[in-house]
C-alpha cells in the first residue's frame, strides 16, 4: 500500500510536469527571452542565414572538388600510370646500339620538318604578297568606284537638267503644234488651193503677203453669197456615194449567200423529217401486221393542197425534188389507215 501511494504521487508529479511542459510548448520561445537576448537573436538571425548559405556553397564546392579529384585519380590510374609503365618498358628495352639510329632518324625527320616549314613560310609569304596586291587592287577599285559614283551623280544632274530642258521644249512644241493646227484650219477654210500656190508666194516678204491677203479679202467680199466649199463637198459626197455603193454590193452578195444557205438547210431539214417519217411508217406497218394477222396499217402524212386537205404517201424511198416554199410547211397532220381483215 505504501508503494502504491508513492507510485500514485509520482504519477501525479509526472502528470503535472507533463502539463507544465505542454504549457511551455504552447508559448513562443521568444516570449520568454529578455530584451538583450531578443536583440542578440535579431542580430544573429541574418548571420545564421548567411552562414547557412555559405555552408551550402562550401558543400557544393566540396562535392565538385571530390568529383574532380575522382576524375583525376581515374585518369592517373588509367592513362598516366599506364603511359609511365609503357615508357619504362621502352627505356628498359632500348638498346645502346639502336639509339644512334633512332637519333639519326629523328634528326632526318627534323630536317624534313624544317624544309617543310621553310616551304610553308615561302608559300605564306607569297600569299601575304598576293593579299597585299589584292588589297591595293581593291583600294584602286574602291577609288574607281567613288569616281564612277561622282560621275554618275554628275550625269544624273545633267539628265535632270536635260529633262527640264526637254520639258520646256515639249511645252514649246505643244504651243507650236496648236498654232500649226490653227494655221492648217485657216488654210482648210480657204478651200482648194492650186498646186503652185506655195511656190508662187514663197519669195515674197510679209508686207507683200499681207497686202495681197487684204486685196484678196476685198475681192472675196464680192462673192460672199457663193458657197466656197462646194467643190470639196462634191468630192466628199462622191467618195461617200462610191463607198455606199460598194457596201450595198457586199450586202447584196452576203444576202444572196445567206438565202442559198437557208434554202439548203430547209431542204436538208425536209429530207431528214421525211426520212424519219418513212422509217416510223415502215415499222408501224410491220408491227401492225404482226399484231393483227391478215390486217395491215399505214401512216399517211396529211398535206394541204389549194385550201383542201389531201393525203401524201411518203412510204416511197425515191428522192423528191426540192420545194422552194418547203414541203414540211404544207403538212397539217398524220392519218392512220388500218384494216383488221385485210379488206377495205
Amino acid at each position: 500500500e505504501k508503494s502504491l501511494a508513492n507510485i500514485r504521487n509520482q504519477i501525479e508529479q509526472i502528470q503535472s510536469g507533463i502539463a507544465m511542459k505542454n504549457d511551455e510548448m504552447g508559448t513562443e520561445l521568444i516570449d520568454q527571452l529578455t530584451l538583450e537576448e531578443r536583440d542578440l537573436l535579431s542580430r544573429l538571425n541574418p548571420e545564421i542565414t548567411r552562414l547557412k548559405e555559405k555552408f551550402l556553397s562550401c558543400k557544393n564546392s566540396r562535392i565538385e572538388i571530390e568529383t574532380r579529384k575522382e576524375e583525376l585519380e581515374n585518369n592517373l590510374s588509367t592513362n598516366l600510370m599506364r603511359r609511365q609503365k609503357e615508357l619504362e618498358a621502352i627505356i628498359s628495352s632500348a638498346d645502346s646500339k639502336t639509339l644512334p639510329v633512332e637519333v639519326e632518324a629523328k634528326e632526318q625527320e627534323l630536317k624534313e620538318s624544317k624544309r617543310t616549314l621553310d616551304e610553308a613560310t615561302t608559300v605564306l609569304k607569297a600569299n601575304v604578297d598576293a593579299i597585299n596586291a589584292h588589297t591595293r587592287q581593291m583600294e584602286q577599285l574602291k577609288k574607281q568606284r567613288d569616281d564612277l559614283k561622282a560621275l554618275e551623280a554628275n550625269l544624273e544632274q545633267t539628265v535632270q537638267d536635260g529633262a527640264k530642258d526637254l520639258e520646256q521644249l515639249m511645252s514649246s512644241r505643244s504651243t507650236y503644234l496648236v498654232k500649226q493646227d490653227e494655221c492648217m484650219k485657216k488654210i482648210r477654210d480657204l478651200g482648194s488651193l492650186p498646186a503652185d500656190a506655195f511656190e508662187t508666194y514663197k519669195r515674197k516678204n510679209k508686207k507683200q503677203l499681207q497686202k495681197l491677203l487684204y486685196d484678196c479679202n476685198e475681192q472675196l467680199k464680192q462673192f460672199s453669197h457663193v458657197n466656197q466649199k462646194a467643190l470639196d463637198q462634191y468630192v466628199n459626197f462622191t467618195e461617200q456615194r462610191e463607198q455606199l455603193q460598194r457596201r450595198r454590193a457586199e450586202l447584196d452578195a452576203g444576202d444572196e449567200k445567206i438565202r442559198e444557205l437557208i434554202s439548203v438547210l430547209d431542204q436538208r431539214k425536209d429530207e431528214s423529217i421525211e426520212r424519219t417519217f418513212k422509217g416510223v411508217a415502215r415499222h408501224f406497218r410491220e408491227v401492225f401486221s404482226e399484231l393483227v394477222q391478215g390486217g395491215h396499217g399505214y401512216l399517211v402524212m396529211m398535206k394541204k393542197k389549194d385550201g383542201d386537205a389531201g393525203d401524201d404517201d411518203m412510204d416511197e424511198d425515191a428522192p423528191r425534188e426540192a420545194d422552194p416554199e418547203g414541203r414540211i410547211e404544207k403538212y397539217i397532220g398524220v392519218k392512220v389507215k388500218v384494216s383488221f381483215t385485210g379488206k377495205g
Side-chain angles (χ1 to χ4, degrees):
E1 291 176 355
K2 289 181 181 179
S3 299
L4 180 61
N6 291 329
I7 291 170
R8 286 178 178 175
N9 291 329
Q10 292 178 1
I11 290 171
E12 291 177 357
Q13 291 177 0
I14 291 171
Q15 288 179 350
S16 62
I18 290 172
M20 291 175 62
K21 295 298 182 184
N22 287 329
D23 293 337
E24 289 179 359
M25 289 176 64
T27 59
E28 294 289 336
L29 180 62
I30 193 170
D31 294 336
Q32 300 178 2
L33 299 178
T34 62
L35 293 174
E36 295 178 356
E37 290 175 347
R38 291 180 182 180
D39 188 14
L40 180 61
L41 181 61
S42 63
R43 290 197 305 270
L44 290 177
N45 281 332
E47 184 69 19
I48 291 171
T49 304
R50 186 179 64 81
L51 290 175
K52 286 182 179 179
E53 293 177 354
K54 186 175 181 180
F55 173 73
L56 291 174
S57 63
C58 292
K59 185 178 180 182
N60 294 329
S61 301
R62 177 174 173 272
I63 293 172
E64 292 178 358
I65 292 170
E66 288 180 353
T67 304
R68 179 62 179 166
K69 176 187 174 184
E70 291 177 358
E71 291 178 357
L72 293 175
E73 287 178 353
N74 292 329
N75 188 15
L76 179 63
S77 60
T78 56
N79 296 329
L80 297 179
M81 297 295 292
R82 185 175 61 187
R83 182 59 178 167
Q84 182 182 2
K85 291 179 181 178
E86 290 178 356
L87 292 175
E88 289 176 354
I90 291 171
I91 291 171
S92 62
S93 63
D95 192 3
S96 61
K97 294 181 180 180
T98 59
L99 289 176
V101 177
E102 293 180 358
V103 170
E104 185 178 358
K106 297 297 182 183
E107 289 179 352
Q108 186 67 26
E109 291 179 0
L110 180 61
K111 290 180 182 180
E112 293 290 335
S113 300
K114 287 183 178 180
R115 186 168 62 253
T116 305
L117 180 62
D118 293 336
E119 293 176 355
T121 304
T122 305
V123 174
L124 179 62
K125 185 177 180 181
N127 291 331
V128 170
D129 295 336
I131 291 172
N132 293 329
H134 286 299
T135 303
R136 290 192 297 271
Q137 187 177 1
M138 286 178 64
E139 291 177 354
Q140 293 177 359
L141 291 175
K142 287 181 179 179
K143 185 178 180 181
Q144 292 179 2
R145 184 189 64 183
D146 295 336
D147 296 337
L148 290 174
K149 284 186 177 180
L151 180 60
E152 183 181 2
N154 294 330
L155 291 175
E156 287 181 356
Q157 185 64 32
T158 304
V159 169
Q160 291 178 0
D161 296 338
K164 292 180 181 178
D165 295 339
L166 179 61
E167 186 177 357
Q168 293 178 357
L169 291 174
M170 292 299 292
S171 178
S172 301
R173 180 176 178 272
S174 301
T175 304
Y176 288 132
L177 286 174
V178 172
K179 292 182 179 179
Q180 181 183 1
D181 293 337
E182 292 177 355
C183 293
M184 293 301 295
K185 184 178 179 182
K186 291 180 180 180
I187 291 174
R188 287 194 297 271
D189 292 339
L190 294 176
S192 301
L193 297 176
D196 58 346
F198 295 98
E199 296 294 333
T200 303
Y201 302 102
K202 184 182 292 186
R203 297 182 181 181
K204 294 182 179 296
N205 56 23
K206 187 175 180 181
K207 291 182 179 180
Q208 293 176 350
L209 292 174
Q210 288 179 351
K211 186 176 182 302
L212 290 173
L213 180 61
Y214 177 76
D215 295 339
C216 291
N217 288 329
E218 291 295 329
Q219 293 178 4
L220 285 173
K221 289 179 181 179
Q222 300 177 4
F223 305 98
S224 58
H225 61 282
V226 178
N227 186 7
Q228 299 178 5
K229 297 182 180 180
L231 181 59
D232 295 335
Q233 292 177 354
Y234 173 75
V235 174
N236 292 331
F237 293 154
T238 303
E239 293 178 355
Q240 293 178 4
R241 178 173 173 273
E242 293 177 355
Q243 291 178 0
L244 292 174
Q245 288 179 350
R246 288 195 299 270
R247 181 61 178 167
R248 179 182 177 183
E250 293 176 358
L251 293 175
D252 291 340
D255 181 68
E256 184 66 25
K257 291 181 180 179
I258 291 171
R259 290 180 181 277
E260 293 178 358
L261 178 61
I262 291 173
S263 177
V264 172
L265 293 176
D266 289 339
Q267 182 179 356
R268 292 179 181 177
K269 178 190 68 176
D270 296 343
E271 293 176 355
S272 177
I273 292 174
E274 291 179 357
R275 183 168 57 253
T276 304
F277 182 78
K278 289 177 181 179
V280 173
R282 183 171 59 255
H283 287 295
F284 177 78
R285 185 173 62 252
E286 294 174 356
V287 170
F288 190 83
S289 62
E290 291 178 0
L291 293 176
V292 180
Q293 297 296 328
H296 56 79
Y298 301 96
L299 288 180
V300 181
M301 187 74 77
M302 298 177 65
K303 184 177 180 183
K304 186 177 181 180
K305 297 181 178 179
D306 297 331
D308 298 330
D311 296 342
D312 186 9
D313 189 3
M314 298 176 63
D315 192 29
E316 299 177 0
D317 295 333
R320 298 176 180 269
E321 295 183 359
D323 192 348
E325 296 181 358
R327 295 177 55 85
I328 301 301
E329 285 75 5
K330 296 181 180 180
Y331 296 140
I332 61 174
V334 178
K335 180 188 294 184
V336 180
K337 292 183 178 182
V338 294
S339 176
F340 292 91
T341 59
K343 300 178 181 180

